[in-house]
Amino acid sequence: MAAVQDGQMELDAEKETKPEILSDGTSNLSGNTASGTLSSSPLTAAPAGGAPKMEDQQTLIAVLQFLKRNKLTDSVEILRREAGLGEDQEDSQATDGSGGGKGDVDGGDANSLLSRVSITSAAAPQSMPVKRADDQPDVSVVLSAYSQQGDPSLYQVYYSGLKNFIESVLDCHRAELSQLFYPLFVHMYLELVYNNHENEAKAFFEKFSGDQECYYQDDLRVLCGLTKKEHLKGNEVLLDFRTSRFVLRISRDSYQLLKRHLQERHNNQIWNIIQEHLYIDIFDGMPRSKSQIDSMSGSLAGEGRRELNKAKVFHGLLKEPEIEVPLDDEDDEAENEEGKPKKKKTKKDSLGSKSKKQDPNAPQQNRIPLPELKDSDKLDKIMYMKESTKRIRLGPENLPSICFYTLLNAYQGLTAVDFTDDSSLLAGGFADSTVRVWSVTPKKLRKVKSAADLNMIDKESDDVLERIMDEKTASESKILYGHSGPVYGVSFSPDRNYLLSSSEDGTVRLWSLLTFTCLVGYKGHNYPVWDTQFSPFGYYFVSGGHDRVARLWATDHYQPLRIFAGHLADVTCTCTRFHPNSNYVATGSTDRTIRLWDVLNGNCVRIFTGHKGPIHSLAFSPNGKFLASGSTDGRVLLWDIGHGLMIGELKGHTDTIYSLKFSRDGEILASGSMDNTVRLWNSMKAFDEVETDDFTATTGHIHLPDNSQELLLGTYHSKSTPVTHLHFTRRNLLLAAGAYNSQ
Amino acid sequence: HQSSTGREERRFAEVPRESIKLMAESTGVELSEEVAALLAEDVCYRLREATQNSSQFMRHAKRRKLSVEDFNRALRWSNTETVCGYGAQDALPFRPLKEGELFFVEDREINLVELALATNIPKGCAETMVRVHVSYLDGKGNLEPQGTVPTAVQSLSEDLLKYYQQITRAILGEDPHLMKVKSVSHDLDQLNRLLHMVKSLVQNPYLYLGSYVRSLVSSVMYCILEPLAASINPLNDHWTLRDYAALLLSHIFWTHGDLVSGLYHQILLSLQKVLSDPVRPLCSHYGAVVGLHALGWKAVERVLYPHLPAYWANLQAVLDDYSVSNAQVKADGHKVYGAILVAVERLLKMKALSLTLAAEGSGAGLPGTTTGAVGFRENSPGLSPPPEPLSEPPLGIASHLQAGGAGCQWEEWTPVSLPAMYCELYSFFGDSLAVRFSTDPPLGGAPAPGPCQPLEGRKEPASSAPNLENTRKMPQLTASMNISPRQDGSPRMEPQPPSLAATVPGRSLSRSSSSSSVSRSRSSSSRPGRSTSQSRDIFPKSRFPLPQAGPPAFSFIIGGRQMGRRCQGRRFQTSFTPTPPLTTLPPRAYAHKLPVIGRVSKPVRRWTCSHYSLHLPL
């Protein structure tokens, strides 16, 4: 059993953000000095020549202090010599930072340093205005980017000027350029708010909020309430909106049009925002149509950057371990009893073909160190194979039967459900902090005997595993106490020996299903943990929570192995999923994006945008090629992982989709929702119909066929039970679970 | 915080500064106006923020309803003190106090002593458990336990489906067995509910019932005619049910009769069949009679009248049996007797009226005109004059019924002449018929000798008829009458003003000794008058002069002879107050508490505006 080294823990995204913040800060400073000139490059703002000396100095001082703090003394010396600054000058500037116009803002920021994470203040004297806590994004810095003053009354003019321009351009460009509205609107509004132009901000909002796409309504509602600078500082979502650049995909022609227009009009305000807060992903070729844009937009951070989605993803499955089937004889007997010797042959064939062929897209077998198979795992694998030979081949003509596990009297509130892979156990997480485990087979749940009793048993006997169980404790269900807040996520380990639960109390707990006690509490998330899931091979698990990061853990490490940071909002419920080959983790978020992370290096390798509401369910197809996601908007979107493209949209649900599951062969996708229905979709057809030629792959332009109704195979109502979880048994019987809602 | 969220402004609830000041004062802090305003704004924002955060907790708990718990969690995570004391599961009533523009969460005091000493100790929640059932086999089937709708309903559009679900839930409650009327014949309440549903279906102007009318009618007929299981217990008031059903029948017939051809005859046939079947219990007969009555006097004339001689013998036998064991049956018999009496009475009156109108009106006689004593429907058809309302349906129902009679499509029917009919009926009912039929009040009140009364009663219309010798074009006017109620739209039921009622000649004929029935019949009789006045000009002109022209008025003394047991040799002096002028309110008259035969289950409802009274010097 090889473990990933601890030291490899990386804070990639956070590191990523740090230089960005700094560059934001500096570019802002220089941008301020350079007001009045347009820099040609969209990304670097070159300081202009005739800037006031005072502010230039400030910039230099800021840089000096940064260097100093990082103990780059030589550089400090060189810079000081070159800039001709005296040491005392710097100090005086630093201490009475409230001198000039710029210092004013900075000083104010220093006083109002406010961040939800504690600052390592010991090393950071508060008196230094440009001093920043390096480790985390500093609010004051983030916000100070807004400090550039423009005439607040002109904002409306600027915006409507741009609006008029966009509305007057050719149709083909209009749709693309219209993407600018929302990010510009938000940034301009925030700028007004930040600079204390409350009334102007309100008027601006009143006038232009109606123009925004309807799927931004939720964001607008948040914005609308925000009218004070002080409010801005506590709002993490908006801080993130600021720190990350909103990504727009615009064709080169459209971009040129826009650029020319802004330069002609000297519309610096807007140009500055575009430069600083927007990332324009320019592509060559035909501008996209409105529907193409709409299908991809909607997330809090714009679309995913194209080059980001270009990274190679090994979405193939790992080679099945070769297992000699020692029980074949036994199996034969069983088969013979039924008088079907034929079946055995087909089984062998299927097994053989599966294990021999190596998927070209598959990652190397040892790319991620995986735990070695134990004997019991092998036995389970054999069971699995046996079962899979009896699997029902599903299809449009052959829909699965549905078994509904209704939790009755769940007054305390059912929040999460999970089945074991062999469908023998059911775990429920409840809002009253308990986790309950039920056996859904006649086999009762038993604890292991106490240590004293275990000493007494004969360890050499064949049925030692049976002997260690305490018959007296046999019961249909067990309750696990330990959390101190609602349990939002539960997950069984593949070997059925462990159960993970994540809770509002910020911990993930590992429970033993042999002793029914808590083994470990993993602390790391500082905020509610919305979900957790075991890797398909056990050992690793991933968790995601309100702190907007997903963490990868190993059961024998009390600290996370990876932290996947990048989401702008919570990593949501039932929304952290392992790829079947365990090399990737997908997370869905309230920021309406789905990210795929590489477990090996912690990189974000895919960003999928297109959902218009928080994402609440994810499912990988069994072959690892596709991903399905469901959100509060009642839509299921299908994604091609290899190409990084959206390939389907399934409309039909009327409420949040809380569970998605592919059948064991991947032909059917089942979705369960708050609207008390289970819907079955023809996923095979959905995947087949999409033409993923190279062109679409490179440009990322997709034409989605609107064929939800054709793909919908059935809608199945429960009486009054929202569908919380779906599970296909190994023989393709669909199990659904939910708590009966008497209201 | 919570209690202060009051006014709805724009899209958000905003906390006014007054609330802030008030809250500050309650903690002993004096705030200036500015501070309060700033604070208010901040409080609003913080509240909104907390609400937004709490909605996340709601979503992750997979609920639709934001709970106080969610809100508290959001507060806790933002390092704010939580709100205590609102954790109850039940909804908190949020009440406004008008005077002070104050809003507050109602917080009732709990009597701890009572709670502590309560004997009904709650048992505690049942244990959370998992139940599994195969919901859908092979992706289909097994729909039944999932509460799906019948196939006939599935083809409906979404709106209709909702309507259906609402209706079924409202009517059936939790009992799916109610789907069939017959399964609930033991439960009068349920039957009543069903009938009311039928009524609302019929009255809904936006529903096209089409062929469903037939099934509705059959349900209603069931209620009218069947010897319900509930009838076994004499305490059950199945009579009212039958009355109501009959009323409904006529209403259905009136409003939707045109949808199903031959419905009328079908109904008549089935009623007739029941009536002529002596094996059936009396309650069924009663139903048949009230059904006929409700269908209009023509139906009575056509079905009941010819059957009367044959039926009479049976009824007489029942009524004459004084054995104790027969008591219940006899009581039922009285009911039937009363029902027949009422029906026959109206038949006579309507006939007389039609003749009168034919005589008075310049146009023609109006056989189809159905004004009159429809309101009697509700009366306990006691053998002596005092009727008693069994139930108090809205007045409008009476008018429907009335109009229903008017709406009957009637074929050519050679009526028995009125005198002949009267003679025949008189032979059955004797004086009680006379009492009911003899109506119009004398001005002077000079009593006429009893025996001659019937003659006079007959003479009056007969004499007036030749006076105005006009040709009777019955078919034409009948047609107009058929149309008129429909033009009137749905027969809504505002009670008629008494002055209007007084203008209608039908009133004079429909006098009843009971004040209640008087006013009811007034309202009903006024209906055709009004509707025709809207539809046809000529008609009211020909009718309105009638009361002034010389209201037939006489008084009489009845010497009962035939059905002597009840009114043997008594002298009745009937005197009516004069017909009031159109505009003035009639003098207030007195309603007598009259002797009652039959059930006395409901209190006599006095109608204050009774103009007429019947003096019974016994």
Side-chain angles (χ1 to χ4, degrees):
Chain A
M1 184 145 66
V4 178
Q5 292 152 14
D6 261 353
Q8 248 184 320
M9 187 177 90
E10 286 177 27
L11 302 160
D12 291 272
E14 297 205 5
K15 274 186 183 167
E16 227 175 67
T17 51
K18 195 181 77 182
E20 220 180 89
I21 293 156
L22 290 174
S23 70
D24 271 355
T26 45
S27 78
N28 163 44
L29 292 177
S30 51
N32 207 14
T33 60
S35 63
T37 59
L38 272 179
S39 51
S40 51
S41 144
L43 288 177
T44 54
K53 186 139 202 292
M54 182 69 174
E55 301 197 358
D56 238 13
Q57 267 191 1
Q58 287 244 319
T59 316
L60 283 170
I61 290 165
V63 174
L64 271 174
Q65 276 173 345
F66 178 77
L67 292 173
K68 242 170 140 183
R69 205 171 54 244
N70 288 296
K71 308 240 161 59
L72 304 166
T73 39
D74 286 351
S75 312
V76 172
E77 280 306 312
I78 295 166
L79 183 63
R80 193 175 287 159
R81 206 169 46 238
E82 280 181 336
L85 284 170
E87 205 160 329
D88 48 332
Q89 191 181 0
E90 175 200 335
D91 285 345
S92 67
Q93 276 288 340
T95 40
D96 68 59
S98 54
K102 177 64 202 158
D104 208 346
V105 178
D106 276 352
D109 287 336
N111 295 335
S112 57
L113 266 180
L114 183 147
S115 68
R116 61 190 178 82
V117 207
S118 65
I119 297 171
T120 52
S121 51
Q126 291 288 311
S127 58
M128 299 177 79
V130 264
K131 167 75 188 144
R132 293 165 196 127
D134 307 24
D135 318 27
Q136 48 275 126
D138 190 337
V139 183
S140 60
V141 176
V142 170
L143 290 179
S144 66
Y146 279 138
S147 63
Q148 35 180 263
Q149 291 277 350
D151 187 350
S153 55
L154 285 178
Y155 273 55
Q156 289 198 23
V157 180
Y158 293 144
Y159 189 87
S160 51
L162 184 74
K163 195 177 143 194
N164 290 338
F165 161 70
I166 290 176
E167 276 165 4
S168 66
V169 296
L170 286 175
D171 280 0
C172 58
H173 300 300
R174 188 188 302 149
E176 285 205 315
L177 292 179
S178 299
Q179 297 176 83
L180 277 167
F181 282 141
Y182 174 69
L184 274 181
F185 172 81
V186 176
H187 280 294
M188 290 175 87
Y189 178 78
L190 291 181
E191 244 180 71
L192 284 172
V193 169
Y194 183 78
N195 292 321
N196 285 327
H197 303 302
E198 195 182 327
N199 292 331
E200 283 88 351
K202 274 181 182 166
F204 184 76
F205 190 91
E206 281 297 315
K207 191 159 180 196
F208 299 114
S209 63
D211 300 344
Q212 310 305 325
E213 298 284 353
C214 55
Y215 40 80
Y216 290 121
Q217 278 308 312
D218 288 347
D219 294 345
L220 292 181
R221 207 173 302 135
V222 176
L223 275 185
C224 182
L226 202 137
T227 51
K228 292 251 184 295
K229 189 177 174 180
E230 288 72 32
H231 298 160
L232 211 55
K233 284 169 189 157
N235 199 317
E236 286 143 28
V237 175
L238 288 174
L239 288 181
D240 276 343
F241 186 84
R242 267 291 302 110
T243 50
S244 67
R245 285 161 173 265
F246 195 95
V247 182
L248 299 167
R249 237 178 251 183
I250 292 184
S251 71
R252 188 170 295 283
D253 292 350
S254 305
Y255 178 71
Q256 295 294 352
L257 261 175
L258 174 74
K259 198 170 156 190
R260 211 176 309 134
H261 166 78
L262 290 178
Q263 278 173 345
E264 276 167 15
R265 298 291 181 86
H266 301 291
N267 205 338
N268 302 325
Q269 205 69 36
I270 287 181
W271 186 246
N272 283 339
I273 291 176
I274 291 177
Q275 279 183 322
E276 284 163 27
H277 304 303
L278 266 53
Y279 177 91
I280 298 188
D281 193 352
I282 300 163
F283 62 87
D284 294 303
M286 284 278 291
R288 293 186 296 168
S289 70
K290 174 93 176 115
S291 64
Q292 278 176 324
I293 291 168
D294 276 350
S295 65
M296 295 293 284
S297 57
S299 97
L300 198 59
E303 300 181 37
R305 299 185 190 189
R306 247 180 328 145
E307 82 266 4
L308 213 156
N309 279 357
K310 289 257 169 59
K312 168 90 177 152
V313 173
F314 302 101
H315 56 75
L317 298 185
L318 293 177
K319 213 164 74 176
E320 288 288 323
E322 308 251 351
I323 300 172
E324 292 302 318
V325 186
L327 294 177
D328 236 23
D329 307 335
E330 206 179 280
D331 197 36
D332 277 347
E333 282 166 31
E335 296 290 331
N336 286 334
E337 272 170 37
E338 286 165 32
K340 290 172 189 167
K342 264 187 187 174
K343 245 191 172 175
K344 195 187 87 193
K345 271 187 183 174
T346 55
K347 181 192 78 184
K348 268 191 174 170
D349 285 350
S350 68
L351 275 182
S353 64
K354 218 179 198 177
S355 51
K356 270 171 207 158
K357 206 166 56 182
Q358 172 69 27
D359 191 330
N361 288 315
Q364 278 190 321
Q365 204 69 11
N366 56 355
R367 189 168 179 264
I368 300 290
L370 291 174
E372 279 173 30
L373 287 180
K374 290 176 287 189
D375 284 351
S376 59
D377 295 332
K378 285 179 181 165
L379 279 174
D380 201 55
K381 276 263 188 288
I382 292 162
M383 279 301 293
Y384 174 77
M385 287 168 185
K386 272 197 213 167
E387 290 268 326
S388 58
T389 57
K390 294 171 188 167
R391 181 182 296 163
I392 297 163
R393 185 103 188 144
L394 296 180
E397 311 304 316
N398 200 6
L399 294 176
S401 303
I402 305 176
C403 256
F404 210 109
Y405 286 80
T406 311
L407 279 92
L408 303 171
N409 306 320
Y411 305 111
Q412 64 274 56
L414 178 75
T415 44
V417 176
D418 193 33
F419 284 99
T420 53
D421 188 64
D422 67 348
S423 319
S424 62
L425 300 177
L426 183 155
F430 290 87
D432 67 349
S433 322
T434 59
V435 178
R436 284 156 206 256
V437 183
W438 283 272
S439 167
V440 293
T441 57
K443 199 176 155 194
K444 300 221 164 153
L445 299 174
R446 295 169 300 175
K447 287 184 188 174
V448 172
K449 286 176 184 166
S450 68
D453 291 338
L454 282 177
N455 272 330
M456 316 242 289
I457 61 170
D458 174 15
K459 283 156 195 89
E460 300 306 314
S461 70
D462 289 341
D463 58 346
V464 66
L465 288 177
E466 193 57 33
R467 287 193 186 196
I468 58 170
M469 306 312 282
D470 189 352
E471 276 305 322
K472 278 177 282 183
T473 57
S475 64
E476 241 177 54
S477 77
K478 298 265 185 238
I479 305 180
L480 306 174
Y481 297 100
H483 281 294
S484 59
V487 179
Y488 290 118
V490 285
S491 175
F492 282 106
S493 73
D495 59 4
R496 294 186 299 284
N497 285 330
Y498 303 104
L499 175 71
L500 278 172
S501 64
S502 67
S503 158
E504 191 240 18
D505 60 14
T507 62
V508 178
R509 279 175 188 268
L510 181 74
W511 308 84
S512 163
L513 296 183
L514 292 171
T515 59
F516 291 98
T517 52
C518 182
L519 301 176
V520 197
Y522 300 95
K523 294 175 187 173
H525 286 283
N526 294 317
Y527 284 87
V529 190
W530 298 132
D531 191 31
T532 182
Q533 204 211 6
F534 256 114
S535 135
F537 300 95
Y539 184 60
Y540 299 110
F541 65 93
V542 66
S543 65
H546 181 61
D547 54 3
R548 291 170 284 168
V549 295
R551 286 163 202 252
L552 180 82
W553 311 72
T555 47
D556 56 358
H557 288 70
Y558 64 90
Q559 281 186 318
L561 307 177
R562 298 280 184 280
I563 294 180
F564 306 114
H567 278 299
L568 299 189
D570 302 28
V571 176
T572 44
C573 234
T574 61
C575 236
T576 53
R577 286 289 172 265
F578 265 99
H579 191 276
N581 67 19
S582 195
N583 278 256
Y584 297 93
V585 167
T587 55
S589 164
T590 315
D591 67 7
R592 308 186 284 268
T593 61
I594 300 152
R595 282 170 187 253
L596 191 71
W597 309 89
D598 192 336
V599 168
L600 180 69
N601 50 26
N603 286 335
C604 175
V605 289
R606 290 285 182 272
I607 299 179
F608 296 129
T609 59
H611 272 296
K612 312 289 189 266
I615 290 146
H616 273 275
S617 50
L618 284 177
F620 279 99
S621 71
N623 61 12
K625 279 185 188 162
F626 305 103
L627 179 70
S629 61
S631 86
T632 54
D633 59 12
R635 298 184 312 151
V636 178
L637 297 183
L638 303 172
W639 310 91
D640 183 325
I641 294 169
H643 296 97
L645 288 175
M646 187 198 293
I647 52 168
E649 179 188 19
L650 307 175
K651 285 186 271 193
H653 280 292
T654 56
D655 209 329
T656 308
I657 296 160
Y658 275 120
S659 63
L660 281 170
K661 199 80 175 187
F662 281 95
S663 69
R664 294 276 171 166
D665 300 318
E667 290 105 340
I668 301 267
L669 173 66
S671 59
S673 155
M674 273 287 268
D675 63 11
N676 300 349
T677 61
V678 175
R679 282 170 207 255
L680 300 178
W681 310 87
N682 190 345
S683 52
M684 260 327 184
K685 195 175 170 203
F687 295 144
D688 287 346
E689 275 182 4
V690 163
E691 79 293 2
T692 44
D693 51 56
D694 289 339
F695 172 74
T696 51
T698 47
T699 56
H701 300 176
I702 39 146
H703 285 284
L704 282 186
D706 187 18
N707 55 355
S708 297
Q709 285 314 306
E710 293 166 40
L711 297 176
L712 180 63
L713 297 176
T715 304
Y716 304 99
H717 295 264
S718 70
K719 212 174 217 165
S720 181
T721 311
V723 184
T724 316
H725 189 76
L726 289 169
H727 176 79
F728 276 96
T729 67
R730 289 170 174 178
R731 298 185 184 187
N732 266 339
L733 173 72
L734 179 56
L735 308 182
Y740 177 71
N741 182 6
S742 52
Q743 290 144 15
Chain B
H1 279 232
Q2 288 214 328
S3 57
S4 60
T5 331
R7 204 150 41 108
E8 186 77 26
E9 208 174 284
R10 282 204 313 175
R11 272 180 279 179
F12 300 114
E14 289 193 358
V15 184
R17 68 185 69 161
E18 290 80 29
S19 300
I20 298 289
K21 283 178 97 172
L22 210 68
M23 274 180 270
E25 274 168 31
S26 70
T27 54
V29 184
E30 201 64 41
L31 289 182
S32 73
E33 196 72 11
E34 283 167 48
V35 174
L38 280 172
L39 258 180
E41 215 168 321
D42 197 55
V43 165
C44 285
Y45 176 75
R46 300 292 166 201
L47 272 177
R48 234 169 272 156
E49 197 179 33
T51 315
Q52 255 150 18
N53 289 341
S54 58
S55 75
Q56 277 223 318
F57 287 92
M58 173 193 74
R59 265 207 302 269
H60 283 112
K62 302 187 168 85
R63 268 183 281 116
R64 277 199 196 86
K65 208 170 167 186
L66 191 72
S67 70
V68 178
E69 187 79 347
D70 293 330
F71 197 81
N72 275 343
R73 282 185 207 292
L75 289 180
R76 205 174 302 139
W77 283 111
S78 54
N79 292 325
T80 316
E81 253 180 73
T82 55
V83 181
C84 296
Y86 297 96
Q89 294 286 316
D90 328 326
L92 296 167
F94 193 59
R95 296 193 188 290
L97 194 71
K98 276 244 174 67
E99 300 87 62
E101 266 196 45
L102 191 64
F103 296 83
F104 60 94
V105 176
E106 194 174 85
D107 197 3
R108 280 203 209 90
E109 279 178 18
I110 295 171
N111 190 342
L112 283 178
V113 177
E114 215 167 79
L115 198 69
L117 302 178
T119 48
N120 57 334
I121 298 156
K123 287 197 185 99
C125 300
E127 203 184 332
T128 310
M129 57 172 95
V130 178
R131 282 289 164 268
V132 64
H133 50 100
V134 178
S135 310
Y136 294 92
L137 256 183
D138 297 332
K140 46 186 175 288
N142 208 6
L143 295 172
E144 204 267 322
Q146 292 297 312
T148 46
V149 291
T151 42
V153 181
Q154 275 170 341
S155 58
L156 294 177
S157 73
E158 202 166 305
D159 289 347
L160 284 175
L161 199 63
K162 270 185 202 154
Y163 184 68
Y164 166 83
Q165 281 161 350
Q166 291 290 333
I167 287 186
T168 44
R169 197 176 314 143
I171 298 165
L172 304 182
E174 293 302 306
D175 187 1
H177 299 296
L178 267 178
M179 285 299 201
K180 292 173 196 140
V181 178
K182 286 177 189 167
S183 60
V184 290
S185 72
H186 58 278
D187 191 343
L188 281 176
D189 284 346
Q190 292 285 21
L191 285 177
N192 255 325
R193 265 198 353 235
L194 283 175
L195 283 181
H196 277 97
M197 176 205 54
V198 171
K199 181 179 162 226
S200 29
L201 280 178
V202 169
Q203 281 184 348
N204 190 336
Y206 302 104
L207 273 186
Y208 176 75
L209 289 171
S211 55
Y212 294 107
V213 170
R214 201 176 284 274
S215 46
L216 281 182
V217 165
S218 71
S219 301
V220 174
M221 289 289 277
Y222 179 87
C223 291
I224 298 178
L225 293 178
E226 280 309 299
L228 302 170
S231 312
I232 295 167
N233 185 349
L235 293 178
N236 279 335
D237 189 10
H238 58 104
W239 307 107
T240 316
L241 182 78
R242 291 174 201 281
D243 286 341
Y244 185 72
L247 193 64
L248 201 57
L249 182 69
S250 82
H251 183 50
I252 294 174
F253 180 72
W254 173 57
T255 47
H256 297 281
D258 50 337
L259 291 178
V260 183
S261 57
L263 183 67
Y264 183 71
H265 284 278
Q266 228 172 310
I267 295 172
L268 280 193
L269 271 178
S270 54
L271 290 176
Q272 185 177 349
K273 210 175 122 201
V274 171
L275 204 58
S276 56
D277 186 355
V279 186
R280 294 221 175 217
L282 282 167
C283 51
S284 293
H285 291 157
Y286 175 83
V289 174
V290 293
L292 284 171
H293 178 64
L295 285 177
W297 64 274
K298 280 289 181 188
V300 176
E301 184 181 19
R302 225 177 139 176
V303 179
L304 181 60
Y305 177 67
H307 268 90
L308 213 48
Y311 186 71
W312 192 254
N314 294 330
L315 189 60
Q316 191 73 49
V318 170
L319 292 179
D320 285 345
D321 188 349
Y322 281 97
S323 63
V324 179
S325 60
N326 194 43
Q328 182 56 43
V329 181
K330 187 163 168 256
D332 291 357
H334 282 311
K335 292 288 285 190
V336 179
Y337 177 85
I340 296 175
L341 184 62
V342 170
V344 161
E345 177 194 336
R346 195 178 62 142
L347 167 65
L348 288 175
K349 281 177 180 163
M350 294 318 299
K351 259 191 110 65
L353 179 69
S354 67
L355 291 175
T356 313
L357 287 176
E360 303 257 343
S362 56
L366 297 165
T369 314
T370 53
T371 50
V374 201
F376 280 107
R377 179 199 74 74
E378 288 298 329
N379 297 347
S380 163
L383 298 178
S384 62
E388 179 205 12
L390 294 183
S391 66
E392 279 78 64
L395 285 176
I397 291 176
S399 65
H400 295 171
L401 176 58
Q402 210 283 326
C408 302
Q409 293 288 347
W410 205 241
E411 294 124 31
E412 203 55 44
W413 170 257
T414 45
V416 187
S417 70
L418 184 60
M421 190 183 278
Y422 187 86
C423 283
E424 188 175 350
L425 290 174
Y426 191 80
S427 68
F428 295 129
F429 294 97
D431 298 338
S432 46
L433 182 65
V435 167
R436 283 166 172 273
F437 183 55
S438 56
T439 43
D440 291 306
L443 287 169
C452 66
Q453 187 274 328
L455 287 173
E456 264 201 279
R458 262 175 294 144
K459 232 183 255 166
E460 196 268 334
S463 61
S464 58
N467 280 352
L468 307 164
E469 44 212 3
N470 273 316
T471 50
R472 297 165 196 177
K473 286 171 186 171
M474 289 177 2
Q476 291 161 5
L477 271 175
T478 307
S480 83
M481 281 310 294
N482 286 340
I483 291 161
S484 50
R486 289 199 189 123
Q487 281 175 339
D488 199 27
S490 53
R492 293 298 102 93
M493 48 225 59
E494 71 284 5
Q496 304 299 321
S499 55
L500 180 56
T503 65
V504 180
R507 158 205 54 87
S508 58
L509 291 175
S510 65
R511 290 290 71 78
S512 112
S513 48
S514 149
S515 51
S516 75
S517 57
V518 165
S519 77
R520 211 173 286 149
S521 64
R522 263 195 302 111
S523 78
S524 56
S525 61
S526 67
R527 172 110 246 149
R530 208 171 58 131
S531 55
T532 44
S533 72
Q534 285 163 354
S535 57
R536 278 178 72 95
D537 247 333
I538 188 167
F539 192 49
K541 268 182 208 152
S542 65
R543 291 182 55 182
F544 276 120
L546 176 62
Q548 287 103 344
F554 30 75
S555 60
F556 47 87
I557 293 170
I558 305 161
R561 289 174 309 166
Q562 287 198 340
M563 299 307 297
R565 273 187 282 281
R566 269 162 299 276
C567 47
Q568 233 164 6
R570 280 177 190 160
R571 293 170 64 81
F572 285 81
Q573 185 182 34
T574 315
S575 73
F576 291 98
T577 52
T579 313
L582 285 181
T583 46
T584 57
L585 269 176
R588 206 178 181 87
Y590 4 52
H592 287 263
K593 169 106 179 157
L594 296 168
V596 170
I597 294 178
R599 289 170 327 96
V600 188
S601 63
K602 298 215 172 158
V604 176
R605 175 84 170 267
R606 305 205 176 190
W607 297 82
T608 46
C609 289
S610 56
H611 315 164
Y612 307 99
S613 63
L614 182 64
H615 301 281
L616 292 175
L618 299 179

